[in-house]
Amino acid sequence: MNRMLPGTRALRTFEAAGRHLNFTRAADEVGLTPAAVSYQIKEIEDQLGLVLFTRTSRSIQLTPAGAVVFEAAVQALETLQRAVGRARRMARGAQQLRVSLSPRFATNWLLPRLSQFRAANPTVELTFDISDEVRDFDADDVDIAIRFGSGRYARMRSERLFEAVIAPVCSPKLNAAGARPKTPRDLAGQTLCHVECTTEGMLWPNWRMWMAAAGIDDFDDSRCVAFTDTSHVVEAVIDGGAVGLVDLAMIRNEVSEGRLVQLFDIGVSVAEDYAYHLVYPENSGQDPRVLAFCDWMQGEMTSTQRPLALPAS
């Protein structure tokens, strides 16, 4: 019977092809060429004695038999991935706590404070999964995550840390050149950049939204530059002399080192109740490692949070 079933690698290729219904996109995902994906699918079909896809010059579609095998492949791969995640959690020992968080949060908030956590919790060893992707706790071997959003996640506990306050920053070079804007309307003469993204369907604050909060309703945002990542905005501000809208909590290093300067005491948030949260499975609520990390994080919030004037809603 085992000789009749494809191996795990072949199943991953088939699953990707069935999900994308496109051999080229499947090839990009699994690290093969489109021709290699097509050949591997043909091998699976020959091995099973089934036609899994109908092929035309422009598209591929799952056959009824292919749809049945595709559903089973998805379930099998997910089951195996979750089992491997649980096995890894068992193998890494009871002292390790694996934290999932974004690169920006790691670099600009958590890692500079890591020595303080270790001093306060010498028996807990932190390891990290640094990614902007939302992780599956079982499948991806994660104990706790720091996520930005509403904090409402099925079968998860969520503890609010702080909201994202978006405000303009500039380079100290603008001060030296005497070009620092005196009022929000003065920003119209600067190169303005921001992050263009959505979180759980909510649009991240842009310049039109910030200007409205500053009382300017006739702002023309047609010349604003949009980036997909905060790091690109920070780079444009520091190296290119732009003025950028950024999450203030994520640039504390740059501000403390004098590489960025906050402009105006006006900030906007993504949406009501949206904030950074500690997220962990409900059944981990009594895990001493999780409790230690949550207590320390909340203590840091109390000692380091600096309020910013927000416009009235």
Side-chain angles (χ1 to χ4, degrees):
M1 178 65 69
N2 289 339
R3 290 196 299 273
M4 296 172 59
L5 299 177
T8 304
R9 182 174 297 179
L11 281 181
R12 283 192 63 239
T13 301
F14 168 66
E15 187 275 336
R19 177 161 34 86
H20 291 293
L21 294 178
N22 184 288
F23 286 168
T24 299
R25 289 198 291 270
D28 290 340
E29 180 175 317
V30 300
L32 296 173
T33 65
V37 168
S38 179
Y39 179 79
Q40 197 164 85
I41 296 299
K42 185 64 169 62
E43 278 196 324
I44 297 172
E45 290 178 325
D46 291 343
Q47 188 177 13
L48 297 178
L50 296 169
V51 177
L52 303 176
F53 291 96
T54 57
R55 301 162 174 83
T56 69
S57 59
R58 295 186 176 182
S59 67
I60 63 170
Q61 295 293 329
L62 285 164
T63 64
V68 171
V69 177
F70 173 75
E71 182 178 353
V74 171
Q75 295 174 354
L77 289 171
E78 182 177 334
T79 299
L80 180 59
Q81 187 173 7
R82 289 181 179 277
V84 171
R86 290 195 298 270
R88 285 175 174 165
R89 186 176 295 110
M90 294 169 59
R92 59 180 161 84
Q95 301 306 313
Q96 286 191 10
L97 181 74
R98 188 160 175 80
V99 183
S100 179
L101 70 170
S102 70
R104 196 72 189 163
F105 198 104
T107 301
N108 289 272
W109 201 97
L110 184 58
L111 295 185
R113 296 171 169 83
L114 191 55
S115 61
Q116 300 169 29
F117 175 84
R118 287 171 172 165
N121 300 275
T123 62
V124 180
E125 180 184 351
L126 295 183
T127 61
F128 300 102
D129 168 68
I130 298 178
S131 174
D132 284 318
E133 296 181 8
V134 175
R135 297 303 200 188
D136 182 295
F137 284 80
D138 281 339
D140 296 315
D141 183 23
V142 170
D143 295 308
I144 190 168
I146 299 171
R147 292 179 179 170
F148 183 83
S150 63
R152 294 183 289 272
Y153 305 102
R155 297 180 298 280
M156 294 287 164
R157 293 191 180 187
S158 180
E159 297 186 18
R160 181 187 174 95
L161 294 174
F162 54 85
E163 65 183 327
V165 177
I166 313 303
V169 295
C170 71
S171 165
K173 297 174 184 177
L174 285 180
N175 285 339
R180 177 171 177 169
K182 302 291 192 301
T183 69
R185 195 170 287 278
D186 293 339
L187 290 169
Q190 303 290 332
T191 300
L192 305 180
C193 58
H194 62 275
V195 175
E196 187 172 76
C197 68
T198 57
T199 299
E200 297 181 8
M202 302 300 298
L203 181 65
W204 201 264
N206 55 35
W207 276 106
R208 179 179 290 276
M209 297 164 66
W210 187 88
M211 287 291 183
I216 301 174
D217 296 323
D218 58 349
F219 175 69
D220 179 7
D221 64 354
S222 62
R223 297 176 60 187
C224 293
V225 180
F227 293 100
T228 59
D229 189 89
T230 300
S231 62
H232 299 151
V233 174
V234 172
E235 183 178 349
V237 173
I238 293 176
D239 297 334
V243 176
L245 279 181
V246 297
D247 180 352
L248 293 180
M250 297 297 106
I251 58 159
R252 292 191 186 275
N253 284 354
E254 287 87 349
V255 172
S256 64
E257 294 168 1
R259 292 187 289 148
L260 289 177
V261 177
Q262 180 184 333
L263 291 171
F264 313 115
D265 198 23
I266 300 172
V268 292
S269 56
V270 176
E272 187 178 358
D273 295 335
Y274 274 58
Y276 291 97
H277 293 84
L278 287 167
V279 182
Y280 52 93
E282 290 178 342
N283 59 11
S284 298
Q286 299 304 313
D287 187 323
R289 302 165 304 162
V290 170
L291 292 175
F293 187 73
C294 290
D295 289 346
W296 177 78
M297 287 287 292
Q298 295 293 2
E300 286 295 306
M301 295 302 100
T302 301
S303 63
T304 64
Q305 188 77 358
R306 182 174 68 86
L308 177 77
L310 286 168
S313 57

